[in-house]
């Protein structure tokens, strides 16, 4: 099962894509984005004017899970990262195991995942909402988590700018040690609106969707 996520170092870094640099500064915890028994918690450190605040996520729902995740006989590539471009918005994700926050004896496995969203269009866009699907190994269902914005914000990205943040995913799941190192699978989308030349006025009431490509939370000792 996918439990509520604990605070993790976050980055809120709007910047020109060509000028991307690692943020080495100490980062701090901020807020919980809790959804019933399933949640995504984000904390951030702002380096730009604050974007439009957003409210908490809506209660989680479920969908039928993928058959290979139910059985542990994974039929797709075991990737712990992904990259997708949809409607000229690029979404990149990487994930990593957090042994210091995990307890294998209790089947508690904590992962961090870093998301970077880049606007490659010629118009500014604003991220207005997100929707994630998460399925742990052996589960028959996927948890669906959705809500406004990310990290309590609905950031505006000018052409060439990126938004980056990191969240943690503490998973309470018994691995299928004899079959696969995968303990969970995640995918989803971010909804955006295009903005007029003033950079603030939406020019369409219909959001665009930028896909968060499928990736896996993988136990490193079994890869």
């Amino acid at each position: 099962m996918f439990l509520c996520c604990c605070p993790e170092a976050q980055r809120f870094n709007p910047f020109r894509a060509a000028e991307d640099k690692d943020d080495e500064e100490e980062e701090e915890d901020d807020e919980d984005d809790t959804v019933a028994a399933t949640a995504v918690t984000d904390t951030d450190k702002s380096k730009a004017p604050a974007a439009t605040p957003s409210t908490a996520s809506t209660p989680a729902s479920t969908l039928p899970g993928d058959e290979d995740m139910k059985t542990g006989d994974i039929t797709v590539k075991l990737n712990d990262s992904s990259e997708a471009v949809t409607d000229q918005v690029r979404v990149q994700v990487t994930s990593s195991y957090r042994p210091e926050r995990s307890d294998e004896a209790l089947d508690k496995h904590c992962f961090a995942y870093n998301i970077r969203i880049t606007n490659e269009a010629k118009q500014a866009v604003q991220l207005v909402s997100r929707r994630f699907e998460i399925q742990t190994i052996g589960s028959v269902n996927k948890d669906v988590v959705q809500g406004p914005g990310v990290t309590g914000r609905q950031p505006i990205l000018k052409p060439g700018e990126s938004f980056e943040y990191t969240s943690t995913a503490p998973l309470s799941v018994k691995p299928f040690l004899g079959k696969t190192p995968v303990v969970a699978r995640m995918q989803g989308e971010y909804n955006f609106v295009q903005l007029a030349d003033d950079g603030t006025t939406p020019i369409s009431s219909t959001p665009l969707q930028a896909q968060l490509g499928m990736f896996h939370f993988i136990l490193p000792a079994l890869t």
Side-chain angles (χ1 to χ4, degrees):
M1 113 179 249
F2 181 74
L3 298 179
C4 115
C5 293
C6 53
E8 171 59 26
Q10 304 294 316
R11 291 188 292 275
F12 174 44
N13 298 328
F15 52 84
R16 295 292 176 183
E19 300 174 357
D20 176 30
K21 294 183 180 180
D22 291 336
D23 184 1
E24 301 293 343
E25 297 181 1
E26 182 180 357
E27 297 154 340
E28 59 191 68
D29 295 333
D30 188 7
E31 63 177 342
D32 289 345
D33 185 13
T34 306
V35 185
T38 306
V40 176
T41 298
D42 301 307
T43 56
D44 64 56
K45 190 169 187 180
S46 178
K47 294 191 173 182
T52 307
S54 65
T55 56
S57 300
T58 56
S61 58
T62 60
L63 291 173
D66 298 333
E67 188 64 30
D68 62 339
M69 286 293 292
K70 298 177 189 178
T71 63
D73 298 315
I74 306 301
T75 59
V76 298
K77 180 181 178 181
L78 301 188
N79 60 322
D80 60 3
S81 63
S82 71
E83 182 172 347
V85 180
T86 317
D87 287 323
Q88 296 182 292
V89 175
R90 184 180 301 273
V91 180
Q92 300 163 284
V93 57
T94 58
S95 63
S96 59
Y97 188 56
R98 298 297 302 272
E100 74 280 5
R101 295 191 179 186
S102 302
D103 190 333
E104 294 183 10
L106 297 178
D107 290 326
K108 296 185 182 298
H109 304 280
C110 187
F111 292 81
Y113 60 97
N114 179 265
I115 303 284
R116 182 177 173 184
I117 304 168
T118 303
N119 178 18
E120 298 183 347
K122 295 181 179 180
Q123 290 178 299
V125 298
Q126 182 173 20
L127 189 157
V128 294
S129 63
R130 71 196 183 283
R131 179 183 179 277
F132 299 148
E133 298 177 4
I134 309 103
Q135 183 180 2
T136 51
I137 198 75
S139 297
V140 298
N141 293 319
K142 300 177 183 179
D143 288 325
V144 179
V145 185
Q146 53 192 340
V150 289
T151 68
R153 301 172 184 270
Q154 293 177 314
I156 292 174
L157 299 180
K158 297 177 182 178
E161 285 187 340
S162 294
F163 175 86
E164 183 174 359
Y165 71 99
T166 301
S167 289
T168 55
L171 304 173
S172 181
V173 56
K174 187 174 184 63
F176 286 13
L177 297 177
K179 287 188 172 183
T180 179
V182 171
V183 293
R185 174 180 292 167
M186 182 169 168
Q187 60 189 335
E189 64 266 349
Y190 296 92
N191 292 317
F192 289 83
V193 292
Q194 290 183 323
L195 302 178
D197 291 340
D198 61 6
T200 58
T201 304
I203 60 175
S204 173
S205 60
T206 303
L208 304 175
Q209 283 193 343
Q211 297 298 314
L212 170 64
M214 179 190 296
F215 69 101
H216 298 90
F217 296 115
I218 300 175
L219 293 176
L222 299 179
T223 56

